[in-house]
Amino acid sequence: PAPEPAAAQPAAPEAPEQPQAPEQEVIGEYQAISQSEDAGRSENIRLATEAIDGTVIEPGGTFSFNETVGNTSAERGYKEAAVIRNGEVAQGDGGGVCQVSTALYIAAVKADLEIVERHPHSVPSDYAPIGLDATIVYGSFDLQLKNNTDHPMTIHAKAVGQTVDVSIVGDPLPEGRTVDAISQIVSRYEREDAGGTDRQYYVSEAFRVYYQDGVRTTRDLLSSDIYQVDENATVVTSEGSVDPNK
């Protein structure tokens, strides 16, 4: 007898369509401007911005400033410039690089990235509001940021002289939402240092603030930090402008 015709195989189920990735845009940016005129510092800033420019943070991935930039040593082209050690100004290789990490930190706060690791200087910086700086010490203090979205993010950075511009491109924030970084001084006190000199200290608080259609909804504490402040120093706070600039 003739063989039975083969039974028709059921059609394979169609794979579900993948949702289209949203068109990405700048979601956080900051411009950090220093009043320094040190040429070595300017070169250090240039090298560090070139190192992070174009870095892609994959979904769920964590960016490390120290891993990306590396050791800011003379062997790698970094110059001697002013650094802060124990509240005092000294000379060290890579001075100025913290201006780059600070600009990136504030841009990341505005982009609503998760802050995994960040450390303050011991004194306020002239290129950022008090409480919103991010110091770097290779092998000790890092700046780490986590991409908590479903798509890659890209860091863009450039330096011109003593000015650093950092922006982060990623998925748009929810419709109508803006995010800002603000800080305030909550107390001041004096204390003798080890040499018997009276020193003035400021305690700051920094927040990530959320706005919906221009109306503040919530704020999350980022950090509470203590800074040694010279009596003649000008200390800048950020009281909540949504503008990305200082």
Side-chain angles (χ1 to χ4, degrees), residues 19 62 93 146 158 167 190 215:
T62 299
D93 293 340
K146 184 175 182 180
K158 65 178 180 179
S167 61
E190 289 189 356
V215 178

Side-chain angles (χ1 to χ4, degrees), residues 9-220:
Q9 296 296 315
E14 289 187 14
E17 283 191 23
Q18 293 298 318
Q20 189 171 1
E23 185 172 342
Q24 295 198 321
E25 61 185 37
V26 173
I27 53 174
E29 58 188 333
Y30 187 74
Q31 180 180 74
I33 305 172
S34 173
Q35 303 306 312
S36 172
E37 297 179 351
D38 187 325
R41 187 180 188 283
S42 179
E43 174 65 5
N44 295 339
I45 289 171
R46 184 189 69 79
L47 290 171
T49 53
E50 284 186 355
I52 68 170
D53 184 41
T55 300
V56 174
I57 314 175
E58 297 295 339
T62 299
F63 166 91
S64 161
F65 191 93
N66 281 336
E67 285 181 11
T68 304
V69 175
N71 192 355
T72 56
S73 62
E75 291 78 13
R76 301 186 65 242
Y78 286 86
K79 310 297 184 187
E80 274 209 346
V83 297
I84 304 298
R85 292 200 185 109
N86 301 317
E88 303 292 339
V89 177
Q91 292 293 303
D93 293 340
V97 165
C98 296
Q99 184 174 339
V100 181
S101 55
T102 293
L104 176 58
Y105 171 60
I106 298 175
V109 171
K110 292 169 178 282
D112 208 16
L113 269 74
E114 179 182 338
I115 310 302
V116 177
E117 180 180 352
R118 168 263 174 191
H119 303 273
H121 290 83
S122 55
V123 300
S125 305
D126 74 337
Y127 46 77
I130 190 170
L132 290 172
D133 57 313
T135 191
I136 296 296
V137 178
Y138 187 75
S140 302
F141 292 168
D142 198 2
L143 173 66
Q144 294 192 21
L145 315 168
K146 184 175 182 180
N147 177 358
N148 45 12
T149 73
D150 296 330
H151 300 102
M153 288 181 167
T154 307
I155 296 168
H156 296 286
K158 65 178 180 179
V160 178
Q162 305 289 346
T163 299
V164 175
D165 288 281
V166 174
S167 61
I168 296 173
V169 172
D171 292 354
L173 297 175
E175 184 70 29
R177 178 183 294 179
T178 50
V179 185
D180 196 18
I182 72 168
S183 66
Q184 59 191 20
I185 298 165
V186 294
S187 65
R188 299 170 171 84
Y189 64 90
E190 289 189 356
R191 187 178 65 198
E192 280 192 3
D193 64 14
T197 303
D198 281 339
R199 301 287 189 182
Q200 182 175 233
Y201 296 88
Y202 287 5
V203 180
S204 71
E205 288 182 344
F207 297 88
R208 187 188 333 237
V209 183
Y210 295 89
Y211 298 83
Q212 188 64 37
D213 300 319
V215 178
R216 193 174 90 174
T217 54
T218 57
R219 70 175 190 173
D220 295 338

